[in-house]
């Protein structure tokens, strides 16, 4: 009888859910909730750190514009599962981007056009990144960069534009002088009675130079005129070009009596122009081509290409096109 009563009591307790004392059961549930919350919080912190690391690696390696945008604009997901999935996605594409050829946008003075095209061809022949070239007057290119143009590397034909970018906080470090040049007076090749010296310019009506406000070659030309005390006599005879290659084109077509360009431009024109005179030493500031990495650009890839330009191969190409050796 006693055994039957015990069995009946146990059966009753099982039906009523009284396997544990009532006072203990709630506290066990509370502790489980606390443990779950702590574990969830720890998981979120770990995933958050992984996600931040993923985004950082993408910013450093990214040439892909979508990945760049995503790495800088995306928000951190609020759930651990979403964060974990996104981490895997970002790490995958980060590794993929590192193995891909990147794109470097280079804005360079137009007098470098022929040499830079040859540099890029040689660079890519050895597996280098894709280089996108943009040429123009150094002043115009600097203004574009200040306005937010997506440029990674800037090579100017004068130091004034580098100072301009530095004041605008658009460059990361000091410039390296990639090359140097000379200033020359050129005349149309088929003209026999053109000027033969700088002083002869006072006897002619049309002299082309680059616009000194944006074209370094034009600024150097005005310095030569001032040095030789010709500025006042030539004031009404100057025709301004938007860049040095436009000045060269004026001379080639015979639209002006003479023009002031770089020696490398005269060399590029070949038999279409004749060099009448070379600017004497000390008549103008040294003509240098400073190169700088632009802030917020693809810095690792830009530095890699800039490094190539200073290799013996890169410098040999510049010398082949008539430039003088620079210094890093």
């Amino acid at each position: 009888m006693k055994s039957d009563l015990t069995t009946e009591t146990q059966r009753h307790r099982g039906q009523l859910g009284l396997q544990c004392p009532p006072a203990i059961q709630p506290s066990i549930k509370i502790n489980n909730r606390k443990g779950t919350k702590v574990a969830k919080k720890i998981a979120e912190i770990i995933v958050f750190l992984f996600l931040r690391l993923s985004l950082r690696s993408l910013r450093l390696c990214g040439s892909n514009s979508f990945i760049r945008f995503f790495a800088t604009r995306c928000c951190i997901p609020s759930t651990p599962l979403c964060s974990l999935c996104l981490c895997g996605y970002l790490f995958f594409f980060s590794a993929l981007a590192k193995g891909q050829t990147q794109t470097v946008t280079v804005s360079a003075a137009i007098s470098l056009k022929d040499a830079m095209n040859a540099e890029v061809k040689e660079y890519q022949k050895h597996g280098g990144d894709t280089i996108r070239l943009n040429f123009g007057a150094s002043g115009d290119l600097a203004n574009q960069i200040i306005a937010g143009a997506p440029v990674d590397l800037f090579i100017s034909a004068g130091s004034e534009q580098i100072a301009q970018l530095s004041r605008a906080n658009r460059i990361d470090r000091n410039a390296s002088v990639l090359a140097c040049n000379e200033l020359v007076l050129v005349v149309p090749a088929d003209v026999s009675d053109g000027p033969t010296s700088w002083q002869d310019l006072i006897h002619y009506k049309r002299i082309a130079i680059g616009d000194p406000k944006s074209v370094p070659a034009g600024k150097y030309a005005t310095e030569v005129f001032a040095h030789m005390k010709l500025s006042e006599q030539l004031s009404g005879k100057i025709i301004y070009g938007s860049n040095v290659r436009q000045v060269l084109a004026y001379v080639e077509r015979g639209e002006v009596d003479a023009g002031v360009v770089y020696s490398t431009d005269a060399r590029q024109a070949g038999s279409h122009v004749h060099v009448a005179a070379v600017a004497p030493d000390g008549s103008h500031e040294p003509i240098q081509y400073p190169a700088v990495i632009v802030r917020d650009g693809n810095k690792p890839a830009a530095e890699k290409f800039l490094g190539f330009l200073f290799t013996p191969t890169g410098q040999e190409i510049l010398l082949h096109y008539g430039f003088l050796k620079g210094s890093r």
Side-chain angles (χ1 to χ4, degrees):
M1 190 69 170
K2 185 176 180 180
S3 176
D4 292 341
L5 181 59
T6 302
T7 302
E8 183 66 19
T9 302
Q10 289 175 348
R11 185 174 61 82
H12 249 323
R13 286 184 176 177
Q15 289 175 348
L16 295 174
L18 302 178
Q19 300 299 325
C20 297
I24 299 176
Q25 192 170 3
S27 70
I28 291 177
K29 288 183 179 180
I30 291 172
N31 288 339
N32 285 341
R33 288 195 192 104
K34 286 183 178 179
T36 301
K37 287 181 179 179
V38 171
K40 183 178 178 181
K41 196 66 178 177
I42 292 173
E44 286 179 349
I45 292 172
I46 293 173
V47 170
F48 175 82
L49 293 175
F50 269 103
L51 182 57
R52 297 286 294 187
L53 181 62
S54 301
L55 296 178
R56 179 173 176 79
S57 66
L58 278 173
R59 292 192 189 103
L60 292 175
C61 78
S63 64
N64 182 290
S65 58
F66 168 75
I67 293 177
R68 269 186 176 179
F69 175 81
F70 193 78
T72 54
R73 302 291 184 188
C74 77
C75 297
I76 306 300
S78 58
T79 64
L81 182 59
C82 289
S83 298
L84 191 58
C85 291
L86 184 57
C87 276
Y89 175 84
L90 292 177
F91 272 120
F92 172 77
F93 279 98
S94 172
L96 184 64
K98 286 180 180 178
Q100 289 179 341
T101 299
Q102 301 184 53
T103 299
V104 180
T105 300
V106 180
S107 284
I110 198 167
S111 53
L112 286 164
K113 184 175 182 178
D114 302 296
M116 289 303 297
N117 282 329
E119 295 277 16
V120 170
K121 186 176 180 180
E122 185 66 23
Y123 183 64
Q124 293 180 336
K125 187 188 298 182
H126 296 89
D129 297 318
T130 299
I131 307 298
R132 184 185 296 120
L133 296 173
N134 175 41
F135 298 107
S138 298
D140 292 339
L141 297 176
N143 288 333
Q144 290 171 10
I145 293 171
I146 291 174
V151 176
D152 303 305
L153 176 64
F154 176 51
I155 308 175
S156 176
S159 58
E160 185 176 328
Q161 288 72 34
I162 303 301
Q164 185 181 355
L165 291 180
S166 180
R167 289 193 296 269
N169 199 30
R170 293 291 288 128
I171 56 178
D172 271 337
R173 59 181 176 81
N174 294 332
S176 302
V177 179
L178 179 62
C180 299
N181 214 333
E182 293 180 313
L183 202 67
V184 297
L185 178 67
V186 293
V187 297
D190 57 354
V191 174
S192 59
D193 58 348
T196 58
S197 68
W198 296 95
Q199 287 78 8
D200 282 349
L201 292 177
I202 62 175
H203 303 301
Y204 294 84
K205 296 180 179 180
R206 297 169 299 173
I207 296 94
I209 69 171
D211 185 348
K213 295 178 181 178
S214 60
V215 184
K219 178 176 175 292
Y220 298 135
T222 60
E223 291 174 0
V224 173
F225 298 157
H227 178 80
M228 297 186 172
K229 298 179 172 54
L230 299 173
S231 302
E232 186 176 345
Q233 294 167 289
L234 299 178
S235 61
K237 302 179 179 184
I238 301 298
I239 296 174
Y240 295 110
S242 60
N243 58 64
V244 72
R245 287 297 174 90
Q246 187 176 65
V247 172
L248 184 65
Y250 289 159
V251 178
E252 287 180 311
R253 295 195 296 260
E255 297 174 4
V256 295
D257 298 307
V260 182
V261 298
Y262 297 123
S263 62
T264 51
D265 297 307
R267 180 172 178 158
Q268 185 273 335
S271 60
H272 297 289
V273 301
H274 170 69
V275 176
V278 178
D281 292 339
S283 61
H284 59 79
E285 289 183 15
I287 301 173
Q288 299 179 335
Y289 290 80
V292 290
I293 305 296
V294 179
R295 181 159 293 181
D296 300 327
N298 191 346
K299 185 176 180 180
E303 287 184 335
K304 183 180 176 183
F305 179 62
L306 181 59
F308 168 78
L309 296 178
F310 279 97
T311 63
T313 300
Q315 287 293 298
E316 184 180 339
I317 292 173
L318 290 168
L319 292 175
H320 173 76
Y321 282 89
F323 290 93
L324 304 176
K325 191 173 183 180
S327 60
R328 192 157 195 184

